[in-house]
PDB file of all heavy atoms in Angstrom:
ATOM      1  N   ALA A  83      -8.337  -7.292   5.759  1.00  0.00           N
ATOM      2  CA  ALA A  83      -7.408  -7.251   4.633  1.00  0.00           C
ATOM      3  C   ALA A  83      -7.406  -5.888   3.957  1.00  0.00           C
ATOM      4  O   ALA A  83      -8.446  -5.234   3.829  1.00  0.00           O
ATOM      5  CB  ALA A  83      -7.767  -8.330   3.621  1.00  0.00           C
ATOM      6  N   LEU A  84      -6.235  -5.506   3.508  1.00  0.00           N
ATOM      7  CA  LEU A  84      -6.023  -4.255   2.783  1.00  0.00           C
ATOM      8  C   LEU A  84      -5.432  -4.606   1.426  1.00  0.00           C
ATOM      9  O   LEU A  84      -4.626  -5.543   1.321  1.00  0.00           O
ATOM     10  CB  LEU A  84      -5.049  -3.357   3.553  1.00  0.00           C
ATOM     11  CG  LEU A  84      -4.707  -2.006   2.952  1.00  0.00           C
ATOM     12  CD1 LEU A  84      -5.912  -1.062   3.058  1.00  0.00           C
ATOM     13  CD2 LEU A  84      -3.507  -1.402   3.668  1.00  0.00           C
ATOM     14  N   PHE A  85      -5.824  -3.842   0.400  1.00  0.00           N
ATOM     15  CA  PHE A  85      -5.377  -4.148  -0.953  1.00  0.00           C
ATOM     16  C   PHE A  85      -4.865  -2.889  -1.646  1.00  0.00           C
ATOM     17  O   PHE A  85      -5.254  -1.775  -1.309  1.00  0.00           O
ATOM     18  CB  PHE A  85      -6.521  -4.745  -1.774  1.00  0.00           C
ATOM     19  CG  PHE A  85      -7.152  -5.938  -1.136  1.00  0.00           C
ATOM     20  CD1 PHE A  85      -8.356  -5.823  -0.454  1.00  0.00           C
ATOM     21  CD2 PHE A  85      -6.554  -7.178  -1.207  1.00  0.00           C
ATOM     22  CE1 PHE A  85      -8.944  -6.918   0.152  1.00  0.00           C
ATOM     23  CE2 PHE A  85      -7.135  -8.288  -0.612  1.00  0.00           C
ATOM     24  CZ  PHE A  85      -8.330  -8.156   0.072  1.00  0.00           C
ATOM     25  N   LEU A  86      -4.003  -3.109  -2.638  1.00  0.00           N
ATOM     26  CA  LEU A  86      -3.572  -2.015  -3.502  1.00  0.00           C
ATOM     27  C   LEU A  86      -3.534  -2.549  -4.924  1.00  0.00           C
ATOM     28  O   LEU A  86      -2.699  -3.399  -5.258  1.00  0.00           O
ATOM     29  CB  LEU A  86      -2.197  -1.487  -3.092  1.00  0.00           C
ATOM     30  CG  LEU A  86      -1.731  -0.243  -3.857  1.00  0.00           C
ATOM     31  CD1 LEU A  86      -2.616   0.969  -3.498  1.00  0.00           C
ATOM     32  CD2 LEU A  86      -0.270   0.065  -3.547  1.00  0.00           C
ATOM     33  N   GLU A  87      -4.458  -2.068  -5.729  1.00  0.00           N
ATOM     34  CA  GLU A  87      -4.507  -2.433  -7.145  1.00  0.00           C
ATOM     35  C   GLU A  87      -3.649  -1.433  -7.900  1.00  0.00           C
ATOM     36  O   GLU A  87      -3.889  -0.216  -7.814  1.00  0.00           O
ATOM     37  CB  GLU A  87      -5.950  -2.380  -7.654  1.00  0.00           C
ATOM     38  CG  GLU A  87      -6.134  -2.897  -9.057  1.00  0.00           C
ATOM     39  CD  GLU A  87      -6.087  -4.414  -9.148  1.00  0.00           C
ATOM     40  OE1 GLU A  87      -6.551  -5.074  -8.207  1.00  0.00           O
ATOM     41  OE2 GLU A  87      -5.584  -4.921 -10.158  1.00  0.00           O
ATOM     42  N   MET A  88      -2.655  -1.930  -8.617  1.00  0.00           N
ATOM     43  CA  MET A  88      -1.710  -1.056  -9.307  1.00  0.00           C
ATOM     44  C   MET A  88      -1.773  -1.319 -10.811  1.00  0.00           C
ATOM     45  O   MET A  88      -1.536  -2.446 -11.244  1.00  0.00           O
ATOM     46  CB  MET A  88      -0.290  -1.294  -8.788  1.00  0.00           C
ATOM     47  CG  MET A  88      -0.175  -1.147  -7.276  1.00  0.00           C
ATOM     48  SD  MET A  88       1.528  -1.264  -6.684  1.00  0.00           S
ATOM     49  CE  MET A  88       1.890  -2.958  -7.096  1.00  0.00           C
ATOM     50  N   ASN A  89      -2.089  -0.309 -11.557  1.00  0.00           N
ATOM     51  CA  ASN A  89      -2.175  -0.410 -13.014  1.00  0.00           C
ATOM     52  C   ASN A  89      -1.130   0.497 -13.666  1.00  0.00           C
ATOM     53  O   ASN A  89      -0.623   1.421 -13.041  1.00  0.00           O
ATOM     54  CB  ASN A  89      -3.575  -0.024 -13.481  1.00  0.00           C
ATOM     55  CG  ASN A  89      -4.645  -0.947 -12.947  1.00  0.00           C
ATOM     56  OD1 ASN A  89      -4.496  -2.166 -12.955  1.00  0.00           O
ATOM     57  ND2 ASN A  89      -5.742  -0.369 -12.481  1.00  0.00           N
ATOM     58  N   SER A  90      -0.862   0.215 -14.929  1.00  0.00           N
ATOM     59  CA  SER A  90       0.090   1.027 -15.707  1.00  0.00           C
ATOM     60  C   SER A  90       1.391   1.227 -14.938  1.00  0.00           C
ATOM     61  O   SER A  90       1.891   2.353 -14.818  1.00  0.00           O
ATOM     62  CB  SER A  90      -0.543   2.383 -16.062  1.00  0.00           C
ATOM     63  OG  SER A  90      -1.727   2.208 -16.801  1.00  0.00           O
ATOM     64  N   LEU A  91       1.926   0.153 -14.426  1.00  0.00           N
ATOM     65  CA  LEU A  91       3.137   0.251 -13.613  1.00  0.00           C
ATOM     66  C   LEU A  91       4.311   0.750 -14.445  1.00  0.00           C
ATOM     67  O   LEU A  91       4.453   0.415 -15.632  1.00  0.00           O
ATOM     68  CB  LEU A  91       3.458  -1.108 -12.988  1.00  0.00           C
ATOM     69  CG  LEU A  91       2.572  -1.471 -11.780  1.00  0.00           C
ATOM     70  CD1 LEU A  91       2.631  -2.958 -11.502  1.00  0.00           C
ATOM     71  CD2 LEU A  91       2.995  -0.663 -10.568  1.00  0.00           C
ATOM     72  N   GLN A  92       5.134   1.560 -13.804  1.00  0.00           N
ATOM     73  CA  GLN A  92       6.302   2.151 -14.422  1.00  0.00           C
ATOM     74  C   GLN A  92       7.551   1.799 -13.617  1.00  0.00           C
ATOM     75  O   GLN A  92       7.449   1.482 -12.429  1.00  0.00           O
ATOM     76  CB  GLN A  92       6.128   3.669 -14.494  1.00  0.00           C
ATOM     77  CG  GLN A  92       4.917   4.113 -15.293  1.00  0.00           C
ATOM     78  CD  GLN A  92       4.964   3.637 -16.733  1.00  0.00           C
ATOM     79  OE1 GLN A  92       5.992   3.724 -17.406  1.00  0.00           O
ATOM     80  NE2 GLN A  92       3.838   3.130 -17.220  1.00  0.00           N
ATOM     81  N   PRO A  93       8.717   1.883 -14.236  1.00  0.00           N
ATOM     82  CA  PRO A  93       9.946   1.557 -13.498  1.00  0.00           C
ATOM     83  C   PRO A  93      10.101   2.363 -12.209  1.00  0.00           C
ATOM     84  O   PRO A  93      10.644   1.840 -11.226  1.00  0.00           O
ATOM     85  CB  PRO A  93      11.055   1.903 -14.504  1.00  0.00           C
ATOM     86  CG  PRO A  93      10.415   1.633 -15.828  1.00  0.00           C
ATOM     87  CD  PRO A  93       8.989   2.082 -15.671  1.00  0.00           C
ATOM     88  N   GLU A  94       9.603   3.572 -12.179  1.00  0.00           N
ATOM     89  CA  GLU A  94       9.723   4.378 -10.966  1.00  0.00           C
ATOM     90  C   GLU A  94       8.818   3.904  -9.834  1.00  0.00           C
ATOM     91  O   GLU A  94       8.908   4.405  -8.708  1.00  0.00           O
ATOM     92  CB  GLU A  94       9.430   5.862 -11.266  1.00  0.00           C
ATOM     93  CG  GLU A  94       8.130   6.118 -11.995  1.00  0.00           C
ATOM     94  CD  GLU A  94       8.317   6.187 -13.511  1.00  0.00           C
ATOM     95  OE1 GLU A  94       9.189   5.474 -14.054  1.00  0.00           O
ATOM     96  OE2 GLU A  94       7.571   6.966 -14.144  1.00  0.00           O
ATOM     97  N   ASP A  95       7.944   2.925 -10.117  1.00  0.00           N
ATOM     98  CA  ASP A  95       7.139   2.310  -9.072  1.00  0.00           C
ATOM     99  C   ASP A  95       7.897   1.192  -8.364  1.00  0.00           C
ATOM    100  O   ASP A  95       7.384   0.624  -7.386  1.00  0.00           O
ATOM    101  CB  ASP A  95       5.839   1.748  -9.653  1.00  0.00           C
ATOM    102  CG  ASP A  95       4.927   2.814 -10.211  1.00  0.00           C
ATOM    103  OD1 ASP A  95       4.761   3.869  -9.545  1.00  0.00           O
ATOM    104  OD2 ASP A  95       4.388   2.617 -11.319  1.00  0.00           O
ATOM    105  N   THR A  96       9.063   0.867  -8.841  1.00  0.00           N
ATOM    106  CA  THR A  96       9.880  -0.169  -8.209  1.00  0.00           C
ATOM    107  C   THR A  96      10.197   0.220  -6.776  1.00  0.00           C
ATOM    108  O   THR A  96      10.752   1.305  -6.518  1.00  0.00           O
ATOM    109  CB  THR A  96      11.179  -0.389  -8.993  1.00  0.00           C
ATOM    110  OG1 THR A  96      10.862  -0.923 -10.286  1.00  0.00           O
ATOM    111  CG2 THR A  96      12.113  -1.345  -8.260  1.00  0.00           C
TER     112      THR A  96
END
Side-chain angles (χ1 to χ4, degrees):
L84 180 71
F85 305 101
L86 186 67
E87 187 76 35
M88 305 186 294
N89 297 315
S90 301
L91 283 162
Q92 300 300 315
E94 52 266 33
D95 295 316
T96 294

